[in-house]
Amino acid sequence: MRKKIAIIGSGFSGLAAAAYTAAAGNEVHVFEKNYSIGGRARQFTTANGYAFDMGPSWYWMPDIIEGFFNDFTCKASDFYDLVPLNPQFEMVFSDGRVAVPQSFDALKDLFEQTEKGAGAKLELFMKSAKYKYEVGMQDFANQPCHSWFEFVSPRIAQSALKLDLLSNYRSYVKKYFTNPKLIALMEFPVIFLGASPKNIPAMYSLMNYGGYVLGTWYPKGGFIELVKAMQAVAEKQGAKFHVNQAVEKIHVENGKANALQIKGELIHFDAIIASSDYQHTETLLDPQYRNYTGKYWETKTFAPSCLIYYLGFKQKIKNLNHHTLFFENELDLHIQDIYEAKRWPQKPLFYACCPSKTDSKVAPENHENVFLLMPLATGINDDESIREKYLTEMISRLEKHTGETDLLSKIDYKKSYCVSDFVKDYNAYQGNAYGLANTLSQTAVLKPAIRNKKVSNLFYTGQLTVPGPGVPPSIISGKIVAKEVNKLKIKSYETIV
């Protein structure tokens, strides 16, 4: 039976859920609290000609994204041009720099030049990572995780040892490489998972395969093009999108969520999918209907927040690639400040993205579009003065790397974004930017459940539930929850009123 479905939030999981539930013949409405679609992947433009992607900037695991479009008999190339980045990125150390080439053969050569025998070891590492990627992204990532029994299958049982579920990632990498630069290169991808490499299962070496082997790409026009494309797919299936529509309450009657309150009015639905921040969504329910208490969330390990600066420069910046990682300081020191001391980092690492190196449309002619990002602890004070202090440090290191001087005076657009902005715009718990960390104790069934245990037709999707943070996992999350909702056997609200 055709169901009337509400989706709260229009990030990647919400967009995917909208497309898959609408394709099943349901009436689907997506409600977005902000003025534009896309959640953290929104884009804003400036009066002087810049276009800034607000969030995601790494286009990895292109096969997962392509799979979404293939499910609707189309291709990513029907909507945007995808270009490979070469180098994929550059990593800056205190004693030099390493540029990661797009070609895997060239990457093996780089490893061999850095450490004798490392080229062959990289090939072995990636052979194992490919296996983890294929099993992990197919068998593991696509499970709703209601029970551990979902993982009792011959393939998974046979794969248990090969997946290295109980090994930590740092120890795993050190079995292959000893050079500090190579270790840093191999550990970097799992930083997206929101925890120290020593607390991440070695299974997530699949991230190295999904990035370094499948390549780093860029959608011309920015990540907003992926948002627009997914919205277009969902709308073609019949989904309707509503912006500036913040949900104020989820109404429950007889164990079912029967309506959303928006701007004081009740809108009735047969099922509800929350792509909004999980913890915030639960505050829209009366306490007796929530899956988890406040104490539960306090015990969880969240991925970091971050300080972001969107900067426009009135000149080109030499010696700067599309993606650059500034790793002159120790990763562990930064991680300790985030997770243990919960303070602003004493010796920070940061990341610079310069899409205008690849895409002339995101900045005025002869100008540069630069996005600076520094991972932070959640829930900390982020007033403008401390933001500016760290901007000055990042610009100083950018100058040292590029050979440019006096870059602060050449800024003609500047906007900061930090912990309190994530709270304000996304209702993000303690201002987190990436959801829950993918630690072993927060994997699969141990993540917050996708289904409300007390309200039969309320579901959750996105980076705070399975399979975890990141663009491809969020798309998978939307597909998982859509399958669950499409299986619901309920009488339509409209037939009983």
Side-chain angles (χ1 to χ4, degrees), residues 15-65:
L15 290 166
Y20 287 109
T21 50
N26 300 303
E27 178 185 342
V28 177
H29 294 267
V30 182
F31 297 95
E32 170 57 53
K33 75 180 285 287
N34 293 307
Y35 63 88
S36 59
I37 300 299
R40 286 164 168 77
R42 294 179 296 154
Q43 186 182 82
F44 72 91
T45 57
T46 71
N48 57 345
Y50 294 99
F52 291 99
D53 280 337
M54 294 188 69
S57 58
W58 290 82
Y59 197 108
W60 275 3
M61 303 185 185
D63 57 323
I64 303 296
I65 299 173

Side-chain angles (χ1 to χ4, degrees), residues 87-228:
Q88 298 189 44
F89 62 89
E90 188 169 38
M91 186 173 274
V92 179
F93 299 98
S94 60
D95 59 349
R97 60 183 73 177
V98 176
V100 174
Q102 181 78 1
S103 159
F104 184 63
D105 285 338
L107 183 61
K108 285 194 297 181
D109 290 341
L110 171 66
F111 271 60
E112 186 62 33
Q113 292 164 15
T114 307
E115 177 182 313
K116 186 173 178 58
K121 289 181 180 178
L122 179 66
E123 192 159 23
L124 289 172
F125 184 101
M126 289 303 182
K127 181 179 179 181
S128 177
K130 179 181 179 182
Y131 183 84
K132 293 182 179 75
Y133 186 84
E134 291 171 346
V135 175
M137 299 310 291
Q138 293 175 21
D139 292 9
F140 272 77
N142 284 284
Q143 300 296 335
C145 295
H146 299 310
S147 163
W148 287 113
F149 287 108
E150 294 168 25
F151 300 94
V152 180
S153 72
R155 185 181 186 193
I156 292 177
Q158 292 168 7
S159 304
L161 290 176
K162 291 183 181 180
L163 291 174
D164 293 298
L165 287 168
L166 300 179
S167 303
N168 78 71
Y169 188 78
R170 170 156 292 167
S171 298
Y172 181 76
V173 168
K174 288 185 175 180
K175 289 179 181 178
Y176 289 86
F177 311 105
T178 59
N179 183 280
K181 289 186 175 67
L182 297 187
I183 291 172
L185 280 171
M186 299 307 285
E187 287 188 345
F188 156 66
V190 302
I191 294 174
F192 287 114
L193 302 176
S196 168
K198 65 185 179 183
N199 295 323
I200 294 285
M203 182 186 77
Y204 287 106
S205 62
L206 63 86
M207 293 284 291
N208 298 78
Y209 179 81
Y212 296 171
V213 178
L214 298 184
T216 302
W217 304 77
Y218 173 76
K220 293 297 284 288
F223 251 84
I224 192 64
E225 297 304 318
L226 175 56
V227 171
K228 291 177 182 176

Side-chain angles (χ1 to χ4, degrees), residues 372-393:
L372 301 179
L373 183 150
M374 187 176 74
L376 290 178
T378 56
I380 60 175
N381 172 58
D382 65 345
D383 63 63
E384 200 61 36
S385 62
I386 195 165
R387 299 185 191 194
E388 287 289 314
K389 170 191 170 185
Y390 281 90
L391 171 63
T392 301
E393 176 172 346

